[in-house]
Amino acid sequence: MDLRSSPYSPGAGTRPAVFVGRGSILDRFDVALDRLEAGRSDDAPLITGARGSGKTVLFNLMVERARERGWFVGAEEAIPGTQMSALIALMARDVLLEMSTRHRFTDRVRRALGILKAFASVSVAGLRLDINAEAVTGTADTGIIELDLRRLVLEIGEIARLQGIGVLFALDEVHIIPNEDLYALNAALHAAAQRALPVSFLGSGLFPSWQATGAEMADPTMVTSYISRAETLSYERLEPLTAADSRRALTEPAAGEGVRFSNEALAAAVDFCEGSPWLLQAVGAVAWGHAPGSPIDQATMGITLIDVQNRLNRMFFPRLLRSCSEPERRVLASVAAADGHRLHVESLYELLPDVERPRHVIRRLANQNLIDLHYQHFPIEYGEFDISLAVPRLAAFCGPAGPPSTHPR
């Protein structure tokens, strides 16, 4: 069929024609904004999940929803090597400039811009931040990032409360940010929550599958015990789509173009994609190109799935695993050999008796979000847990012999 009419969007972070399976999370986000506007405590989520689970799509939808209801939104994407203070400064400038366009409390907004200018001059290195205001010193320019960030956020939150609307700082790829910077952000958000200010933080990024355990070295999503109790960041892990939602993601866009799938083709596609929204879009797009017309039948789907797996094997998985050590590849191969089932950690040790410090190998793979850990007891050093692959179709790539060892290192 003509690819120009394909309704599928397989690009990373590209919104699909039909968005399925995450409606309850969006509804909960709306509730959080309602509560914050009413002066009640709540928070936006920090969205995490496997690669291709739709984190960025959901993140962008939430940003759009906040803007539609009139919230002041500063949104950025974290880039390796960029200071958290620089990202906050950029988002704060966007928020304050938007506040200034509404022509209310202009003196207060001008003062906040001056505070931001002083903050940037002390806490942000190498960033050109064009702010048409005189620097206001003595508030957020001590050089102590935790203190300055808290005072800046409180100043902005107070103006938002005066205007009767909220502020959302939104940061994609937040896993790039060092833990100590997240601690400072948490402290600032907690201070705003204590004052019932309508300020929230929306994040999206890759984090390991374990929950907060109290063991910081074992858990990179861990925050300090005080901040953990404050609960200013709420992790929302995106699980694979159900079979019913997976079918909708394929059939509803096609139906809009007058195309349908045979039952056999649809079942094969849903099974192949393992609930991954990104893979569903990729399979739909490739099937559209292979199919001579409607319906997309089982034979066409068979060709499609071989094609998609080959593309993953050539272009996606080699890059994904290029930094894996030989012990890490052997762990992946052993988990893949479990045929999609969880493998208990003790069984893994029996399969790989010669791998040195296996728990460190497991931790490194979890930190790369290549495996999921399913705990029975905490923490990782002492606990019992099962292991599964975190990336759809990775088991097929690893195969009986394991991932190829000729990947670029």
Side-chain angles (χ1 to χ4, degrees), residues 176-187:
I176 292 171
I177 302 301
N179 273 358
E180 56 269 22
D181 288 347
L182 287 179
Y183 299 163
L185 176 61
N186 264 293

Side-chain angles (χ1 to χ4, degrees), residues 79-156:
I79 301 170
T82 304
Q83 298 171 283
M84 180 65 158
S85 56
L87 294 166
I88 291 293
L90 288 168
M91 291 188 285
R93 182 192 60 179
D94 291 346
V95 164
L96 289 169
L97 290 178
E98 186 178 356
M99 286 179 170
S100 69
T101 63
R102 301 192 188 180
H103 306 296
R104 298 179 64 195
F105 309 103
T106 53
D107 290 342
R108 189 71 183 266
V109 173
R110 190 177 300 110
R111 179 177 184 275
L113 283 166
I115 291 172
L116 173 60
K117 190 169 188 176
F119 169 85
S121 69
V122 171
S123 298
V124 182
L127 175 67
R128 180 184 174 89
L129 200 63
D130 187 18
I131 298 175
N132 187 22
E134 292 294 324
V136 176
T137 59
T139 299
D141 54 344
T142 67
I144 304 171
I145 186 62
E146 294 86 353
L147 181 60
D148 292 344
L149 186 58
R150 184 177 69 204
R151 290 176 173 178
L152 177 64
V153 167
L154 291 177
E155 184 72 22
I156 293 172

Side-chain angles (χ1 to χ4, degrees), residues 41-296:
S41 176
D42 214 320
D43 47 66
L46 197 161
I47 306 163
T48 186
R51 291 171 177 85
S53 58
K55 297 182 294 296
T56 297
V57 171
L58 183 58
F59 172 89
N60 288 334
L61 279 170
M62 288 180 171
V63 167
E64 183 178 300
R65 284 200 175 196
R67 285 182 170 141
E68 285 175 350
R69 59 191 294 161
W71 274 52
F72 303 108
V73 178
E76 293 290 341
E77 178 178 327
I79 301 170
T82 304
Q83 298 171 283
M84 180 65 158
S85 56
L87 294 166
I88 291 293
L90 288 168
M91 291 188 285
R93 182 192 60 179
D94 291 346
V95 164
L96 289 169
L97 290 178
E98 186 178 356
M99 286 179 170
S100 69
T101 63
R102 301 192 188 180
H103 306 296
R104 298 179 64 195
F105 309 103
T106 53
D107 290 342
R108 189 71 183 266
V109 173
R110 190 177 300 110
R111 179 177 184 275
L113 283 166
I115 291 172
L116 173 60
K117 190 169 188 176
F119 169 85
S121 69
V122 171
S123 298
V124 182
L127 175 67
R128 180 184 174 89
L129 200 63
D130 187 18
I131 298 175
N132 187 22
E134 292 294 324
V136 176
T137 59
T139 299
D141 54 344
T142 67
I144 304 171
I145 186 62
E146 294 86 353
L147 181 60
D148 292 344
L149 186 58
R150 184 177 69 204
R151 290 176 173 178
L152 177 64
V153 167
L154 291 177
E155 184 72 22
I156 293 172
E158 292 286 358
I159 302 172
R161 180 160 60 185
L162 287 172
Q163 301 216 21
I165 202 66
V167 170
L168 181 70
F169 295 107
L171 187 61
D172 198 9
E173 305 296 335
V174 71
H175 58 275
I176 292 171
I177 302 301
N179 273 358
E180 56 269 22
D181 288 347
L182 287 179
Y183 299 163
L185 176 61
N186 264 293
L189 293 170
H190 185 49
Q194 288 178 322
R195 291 161 176 77
L197 299 178
V199 178
S200 194
F201 175 79
L202 170 67
S204 173
L206 283 170
F207 289 96
S209 57
W210 51 55
Q211 303 299 311
T213 66
E216 183 173 355
M217 292 303 295
D219 184 354
T221 72
M222 176 60 191
V223 293
T224 65
S225 59
Y226 170 72
I227 295 298
S228 182
R229 292 196 306 274
E231 295 182 346
T232 46
L233 290 185
S234 175
Y235 290 86
E236 180 71 57
R237 186 167 183 83
L238 302 187
E239 300 298 335
L241 296 177
T242 64
D245 283 333
S246 295
R247 288 191 291 271
R248 287 184 58 207
L250 286 171
T251 58
E252 291 185 14
E257 299 294 330
V259 175
R260 66 181 184 86
F261 291 80
S262 72
N263 291 336
E264 298 80 6
L266 187 59
V270 168
D271 183 64
F272 178 91
C273 292
E274 302 176 20
S276 167
W278 169 66
L279 267 184
L280 287 161
Q281 294 299 307
V283 165
V286 174
W288 199 271
H290 284 304
S294 181
I296 298 174

Side-chain angles (χ1 to χ4, degrees), residues 33-44:
L33 299 190
D34 286 339
R35 287 180 57 81
L36 287 163
E37 287 175 7
R40 298 184 175 95
S41 176
D42 214 320
D43 47 66

